[in-house]
Amino acid sequence: MSINSFGHLFRFTTWGESHGPALGATVDGCPPGVRLEPAMIQQWMDKRRPGLNKNTTQRNEPDTVNILSGVYEGKTTGTPIQLMIENTDQRSKDYGDILNTFRPGHADITYHQKYGLRDPRGGGRSSARETASRVAAGGVAREAIKAIAANVQIKGYMTQMGTKKIDPAKVDWDQIDQNDFFCPDAEAAAEWNDYLAWLRKDDHNSVGAIIEVVARGVPAGIGAPVYAKLDTDLSAAMMSINAVKGVEIGEGMAAAALTGRDNADEIFMGSDGPEYSSNHAGGILGGISTGQDIVVRFAVKPTSSILSPRKSIRMDGSPTEVVTKGRHDPCVGIRAVPVGEAMMACVILDHLLLDRGQTGGVRGSIG
Ligand SMILES: Cc1cc2nc3c(=O)[nH]c(=O)nc-3n(C[C@H](O)[C@H](O)[C@H](O)COP(=O)(O)O)c2cc1C
């Protein structure tokens, strides 16, 4: 069983727990000859790492990534790449009182029901610290993509916090890294900042979010028609992230309310090949990329660990109330942005490699 692994040809396996000595990813299937230095991965780790600002968890981890194998003189060798991130700021005493209690919204109860035992420190394997390993694997994928399809750009951002949505017309990629929220609209970011401060400090509460991830410049013809559709793999990738409860491609759920006329992305012949009037399909038709932006959206639930008391039970079945102290993200959507980008990078690289293996780059000509 490979239930800790993801991907077909570019495949990574994550390992480790929240409060163990370290965690990481073993990346297999990366092509040889890709330039890879720790700093190339670290830039993405730094976007996800905790303690960056007041709007994320105050656990302070440098999340320094160590490359233990698979790279020689700054280039990948085609052998497994072992990536390791040390845990340095564990405070297991924060979790002492939940040893025998199931926290609502957490995996404590299901891990216990399934395995009969669990590492309760920081949620053990169910902690979103696991996502640091994915971001590291995604950093490798980004470098390998550059070597195969240099024009690909991958960008994630938050489009909604709670009920507060951004205006799609105001999306400006240049704004994304200018605020704490990876929000592409400066005005919305300022509003979110005040809202989250109130929610965290005064209301002792948390809130959900929607994240959009776009892959631009992906050539047409990447993907597969049936069981490894590009949209199937992207959905699995995003749905595997902690706290994700919904995934959409392109128009997504809203497509149900459209008519066939509204939803048709009409095709025209442009000077450089086919062009489309719109992108309701999210850049994928029949599981295969069209060459338009690939657009994936996912919803994360509100952080379960909050300072407001919630009813639960202990392991012996007796009732209790849980107030989660410790250090938590008031909106997990913020740090989920680099995680979504990493998963997009891994899927796109995987499909670039699959396509190279099956078709060798053969394409049907148009025009
Ligand atoms: C980047 C990221 C950070 C998270 N941080 C927290 C947190 O601080 N507190 C919390 O209760 N949940 C947090 N979560 C969500 C939990 O890990 C998740 O809800 C829990 O493991 C149960 O899994 P499920 O929601 O996928 O069913 C985070 C999720 C992500 C993606």
Side-chain angles (χ1 to χ4, degrees):
M1 277 207 295
S2 55
I3 51 179
N4 291 289
S5 305
F6 185 82
H8 305 281
L9 290 187
F10 179 82
R11 190 167 171 80
F12 66 86
T13 302
T14 69
W15 52 270
E17 286 89 24
S18 175
H19 288 210
L23 40 72
T26 310
V27 176
D28 203 359
C30 182
V34 174
R35 274 190 29 75
L36 192 64
E37 309 275 353
M40 295 169 173
I41 304 175
Q42 196 61 45
Q43 59 180 312
W44 310 113
M45 304 298 293
D46 291 347
K47 275 185 82 170
R48 195 218 69 103
R49 91 180 174 79
L52 271 188
N53 59 60
K54 64 181 184 311
N55 291 308
T56 59
T57 171
Q58 294 306 296
R59 182 169 171 168
N60 188 13
E61 292 283 0
D63 277 358
T64 306
V65 71
N66 298 283
I67 303 177
L68 302 187
S69 68
V71 176
Y72 178 66
E73 293 184 341
K75 283 191 179 161
T76 59
T77 57
T79 60
I81 302 169
Q82 181 73 313
L83 304 167
M84 187 192 70
I85 304 133
E86 281 177 63
N87 290 322
T88 60
D89 190 24
Q90 307 98 314
R91 275 197 213 155
S92 301
K93 68 174 172 41
D94 282 348
Y95 298 92
D97 51 354
I98 54 151
L99 210 62
N100 293 309
T101 304
F102 303 122
R103 293 167 302 165
H106 279 280
D108 307 337
I109 192 160
T110 49
Y111 272 43
H112 179 74
Q113 283 171 312
K114 182 176 175 69
Y115 299 111
L117 78 171
R118 67 195 155 98
D119 176 350
R121 300 165 306 159
R125 178 71 178 159
S126 75
S127 162
R129 256 203 80 60
E130 187 271 346
T131 61
S133 309
R134 299 159 183 246
V135 173
V140 176
R142 284 186 189 257
E143 294 307 317
I145 290 172
K146 276 189 204 161
I148 301 172
N151 292 333
V152 172
Q153 274 179 284
I154 293 171
K155 205 78 188 161
Y157 41 88
M158 261 171 71
T159 60
Q160 187 171 334
M161 176 186 281
T163 56
K164 297 181 186 303
K165 301 180 187 179
I166 61 163
D167 175 353
K170 290 192 181 159
V171 169
D172 176 0
W173 281 21
D174 290 337
Q175 286 299 322
I176 296 171
D177 293 319
Q178 306 302 317
N179 58 73
D180 289 358
F181 302 93
F182 302 118
C183 176
D185 172 357
E187 246 174 73
E191 196 194 340
W192 292 357
N193 191 54
D194 296 345
Y195 175 55
L196 202 60
W198 170 79
L199 204 67
R200 185 167 48 88
K201 285 194 281 195
D202 303 328
D203 200 34
H204 294 164
N205 214 340
S206 64
V207 71
I210 295 184
I211 292 97
E212 186 163 282
V213 186
V214 175
R216 183 162 289 169
V218 176
I222 302 305
V226 186
Y227 298 111
K229 283 181 168 183
L230 192 50
D231 27 5
T232 307
D233 286 353
L234 281 171
S235 304
M238 301 306 168
M239 193 52 103
S240 74
I241 300 170
N242 308 47
V244 173
K245 284 294 178 189
V247 181
E248 300 185 327
I249 310 282
E251 206 60 58
M253 296 290 175
L258 297 180
T259 65
R261 257 206 308 271
D262 299 331
N263 191 55
D265 299 318
E266 292 183 287
I267 310 174
F268 304 90
M269 194 60 202
S271 50
D272 250 358
E275 287 176 7
Y276 296 82
S277 60
S278 50
N279 189 14
H280 296 290
I284 304 173
L285 290 173
I288 299 172
S289 60
T290 62
Q292 295 202 81
D293 282 359
I294 294 173
V295 184
V296 184
R297 236 169 281 108
F298 59 89
V300 290
K301 70 187 192 186
T303 317
S304 303
S305 296
I306 48 175
L307 279 167
S308 298
R310 298 285 86 194
K311 288 189 174 50
S312 185
I313 52 169
R314 298 191 186 88
M315 248 152 61
D316 64 7
S318 58
T320 184
E321 277 198 335
V322 178
V323 175
T324 312
K325 298 185 190 116
R327 298 161 295 173
H328 295 281
D329 290 286
C331 174
V332 306
I334 303 170
R335 294 201 302 126
V337 170
V339 183
E341 288 181 335
M343 294 309 285
M344 174 70 99
C346 291
V347 172
I348 297 295
L349 174 62
D350 197 19
H351 276 276
L352 284 166
L353 296 177
L354 282 168
D355 178 60
R356 192 162 78 171
Q358 191 194 15
T359 71
V362 168
R363 291 288 181 267
S365 64
I366 299 178

